[in-house]
Amino acid sequence: MENWSLTAIDREGWDRHWQTANHCTLPQSWEYGTAMGRAHFCRPGRFVIHDGQGVVRGMVQFLVRDLPWLGGAIRLNRGPVVCGSSWSPEEQGHFLRALKTTARCHRWWYLRSAFAWPEGDPVRALLQGQGFRPATSGMAWGSHLLSLTPDVAVLRQHLAGKWRNLLVKGERLGVVVQAGVTAGRWQQLQTHYQDFQRERGFAGISPKLLDQLIQQQGPLWRIHLLSAHLPTDLSVPVGLLVAIHHGETATYLIGLTTGDGRRLQANYLLLWQAILLAKAEGLSWFDLGGVTAETPEGIRHFKSGLGGKPYQWVGEWVWHGWRG
């Protein structure tokens, strides 16, 4: 049986391997881990994954909560990230064994994971065979992934008919889209987003995490804030959108529009411009930022209209170190 291993890695090594990773998920990025640690009183743990021949096959980031004298608990969200060729089911098993060995060495007795592996019986059987059990709470992550390889004209052609028509309507109405993270725009976003959370009654992203995300810096990290405006008034936005570029992927994080913004189809222009910006910066993928069973129907149709490929991962699983 081949023995895989996890080895702690520094920032320089992480950035080097991140450039060769496939579909870099936002929660696995160095910057997101740092922001989460500062916002929610935990610490990130980063490891490179070697196969039995010492070849780097991936990377993984945990959020660690230390319990004095007892050890700790860790959270693995939308990982691991694969470097090079994709893993076979046998190689996924090698990783799980290395993961449990590393957890025991660090006295992490509770592991909660949302693996970036597809939903299905084979993956479920693999996890259960390795001692993981489905979590009693938590939602399976799913989204749509749009390839940015085609030309802009082709991307636009692949939009759903209604989506393209509403985009054209917004363009004809003269909606102005601006890009740039300024202190004033960021404060407007935070204020409107908190109001939106209260009105709709959902948790979303915490204000502390939003504040930490904007402070992050990295060679493959960019946070973009786009604002939509009436052509007659560029001072007050009628729509705001946040997209984060992390490695070769951009993720749609937040989108908000006012009543005027919805009338002018500002949400369509904002998202389309975010996609064009990611393509212009040489990224390969645009992740629509979550489409699950709990996504409201209107948002589901909005995100589905871009023609991305749907995916759904296996959901939340737990492992207790004291059970073996």
Side-chain angles (χ1 to χ4, degrees):
M1 182 182 297
E2 187 175 3
N3 291 320
W4 285 30
S5 61
L6 274 58
T7 306
I9 190 171
D10 60 14
R11 178 63 188 265
E12 181 181 358
W14 184 275
D15 287 342
R16 184 174 65 254
H17 295 305
W18 191 253
Q19 297 183 54
T20 69
N22 305 319
H23 185 196
C24 307
T25 62
L26 178 59
Q28 286 292 294
S29 64
W30 183 284
E31 295 81 5
Y32 192 90
T34 299
M36 282 290 292
R38 293 174 179 173
H40 297 297
F41 308 106
C42 53
R43 64 178 177 86
R46 290 107 173 186
F47 294 81
V48 64
I49 305 164
H50 292 100
D51 64 17
Q53 286 71 50
V55 177
V56 173
R57 299 300 306 278
M59 309 155 67
V60 64
Q61 175 174 246
F62 308 114
L63 293 176
V64 184
R65 291 192 183 276
D66 296 303
L67 304 174
W69 302 293
L70 297 177
I74 59 174
R75 163 77 168 157
L76 193 171
N77 193 13
R78 299 185 223 167
V81 173
V82 175
C83 296
S85 60
S86 58
W87 297 354
S88 67
E90 182 180 12
E91 290 171 328
Q92 290 175 328
H94 295 329
F95 166 73
L96 292 175
R97 284 186 285 273
L99 173 61
K100 293 188 295 183
T101 298
T102 301
R104 292 190 183 100
C105 288
H106 288 81
R107 301 179 68 241
W108 296 330
W109 303 119
Y110 178 82
L111 167 59
R112 186 180 179 102
S113 300
F115 294 102
W117 294 344
E119 171 64 70
D121 292 339
V123 173
R124 287 181 165 273
L126 173 66
L127 290 169
Q128 290 173 340
Q130 291 290 333
F132 288 80
R133 296 292 179 265
T136 56
S137 62
M139 181 177 57
W141 177 263
S143 188
H144 290 191
L145 194 63
L146 179 68
S147 172
L148 300 178
T149 302
D151 293 337
V152 172
V154 176
L155 287 173
R156 187 160 180 138
Q157 182 181 357
H158 286 169
L159 298 174
K162 181 180 179 181
W163 212 102
R164 186 167 53 249
N165 292 339
L166 292 174
L167 172 62
V168 170
K169 180 181 178 180
E171 292 170 338
R172 289 176 176 171
L173 289 171
V175 175
V176 178
V177 176
Q178 297 180 337
V181 182
T182 65
R185 285 283 181 268
W186 193 253
Q187 184 57 53
Q188 287 174 327
L189 171 77
Q190 290 181 310
T191 299
H192 290 313
Y193 187 61
Q194 290 177 49
D195 290 342
F196 185 74
Q197 287 174 307
R198 285 192 292 269
E199 291 171 5
R200 300 295 177 91
F202 77 104
I205 300 170
S206 72
K208 289 182 179 179
L209 178 57
L210 274 177
D211 187 59
Q212 287 297 328
L213 286 172
I214 194 177
Q215 299 179 41
Q216 300 306 308
Q217 296 181 355
L220 298 174
W221 171 272
R222 300 285 187 277
I223 185 163
H224 292 285
L225 175 57
L226 281 68
S227 56
H229 304 265
L230 296 169
T232 55
D233 185 1
L234 300 182
S235 61
V236 179
V238 296
L240 294 162
L241 180 147
V242 177
I244 297 181
H245 297 186
H246 46 97
E248 36 75 271
T249 303
T251 295
Y252 173 35
L253 193 68
I254 294 174
L256 300 171
T257 51
T258 65
D260 282 338
R262 289 186 289 275
R263 178 177 57 83
L264 297 171
Q265 314 306 327
N267 51 340
Y268 291 88
L269 274 85
L270 284 167
L271 186 50
W272 178 244
Q273 289 299 318
I275 290 168
L276 296 185
L277 179 59
K279 181 173 176 59
E281 292 195 354
L283 276 63
S284 300
W285 304 98
F286 194 97
D287 195 305
L288 272 298
V291 182
T292 69
E294 296 186 8
T295 301
E297 193 66 21
I299 296 176
R300 180 189 298 274
H301 284 159
F302 175 62
K303 293 185 176 183
S304 300
L306 287 155
K309 183 178 180 180
Y311 68 87
Q312 182 170 336
W313 288 333
V314 70
E316 301 274 345
W317 293 73
V318 296
W319 174 80
H320 301 92
W322 57 83
R323 292 181 181 174

